[in-house]
Amino acid sequence: MNLRVGRHAVLGEMEAGRPVTIYVDGEPVPAREGEPVAAALYAVGIRTTRYSPRSGEPRGPFCMIGRCTECAMTVDGVPNVRTCLTAVRDGMEVETPGRKKP
Ligand code: FES
């Protein structure tokens, strides 16, 4: 099954970009250049984009159109980036807020 986004409700038609690698909490993750970061994570089975600061429960993308902020992650050192609207670039570093370090 292809879990890549072909058409995004806000970003429009998505062409399959070249294969690149992003780093999520230091781990390499295959992605397609230009696709939303949250979609790239979903495609490889990563459903948690942050942890609740109150309960510690995992949270994941909900709306995928930039409204709910459930997808907010730290991207290249910038906190609270809505990853459902942020295009993948080769080598970008993504961190999961609230994640307990091993
Ligand atoms: S999933 Fe709702 S703002 Fe990104």
Side-chain angles (χ1 to χ4, degrees), residues 23 49 71-81 83 93-97:
Y23 296 88
T49 49
C71 66
M73 302 179 83
T74 301
V75 177
D76 291 335
V78 179
N80 300 318
V81 174
T83 56
E93 297 190 18
V94 180
E95 296 172 40
T96 308

Side-chain angles (χ1 to χ4, degrees), residues 46-62 68-73 96-97:
I46 297 173
R47 304 290 191 263
T48 300
T49 49
R50 67 184 187 92
Y51 289 87
S52 168
R54 291 189 186 147
S55 68
E57 294 292 317
R59 308 292 296 186
F62 179 69
C68 71
T69 69
E70 292 291 349
C71 66
M73 302 179 83
T96 308

Side-chain angles (χ1 to χ4, degrees), residues 61-64 66-69 71 82 84:
F62 179 69
C63 71
M64 292 298 283
R67 297 286 187 247
C68 71
T69 69
C71 66
R82 289 175 294 170
C84 68

Side-chain angles (χ1 to χ4, degrees), residues 2-79:
N2 180 5
L3 294 176
R4 300 289 175 190
V5 174
R7 184 176 191 291
H8 188 280
V10 174
L11 304 174
E13 297 296 325
M14 316 245 37
E15 292 188 25
R18 68 182 176 105
V20 296
T21 301
I22 63 175
Y23 296 88
V24 179
D25 299 321
E27 297 295 321
V29 170
R32 296 285 182 165
E33 192 168 61
E35 72 180 336
V37 171
L41 301 185
Y42 193 87
V44 297
I46 297 173
R47 304 290 191 263
T48 300
T49 49
R50 67 184 187 92
Y51 289 87
S52 168
R54 291 189 186 147
S55 68
E57 294 292 317
R59 308 292 296 186
F62 179 69
C63 71
M64 292 298 283
I65 58 172
R67 297 286 187 247
C68 71
T69 69
E70 292 291 349
C71 66
M73 302 179 83
T74 301
V75 177
D76 291 335
V78 179

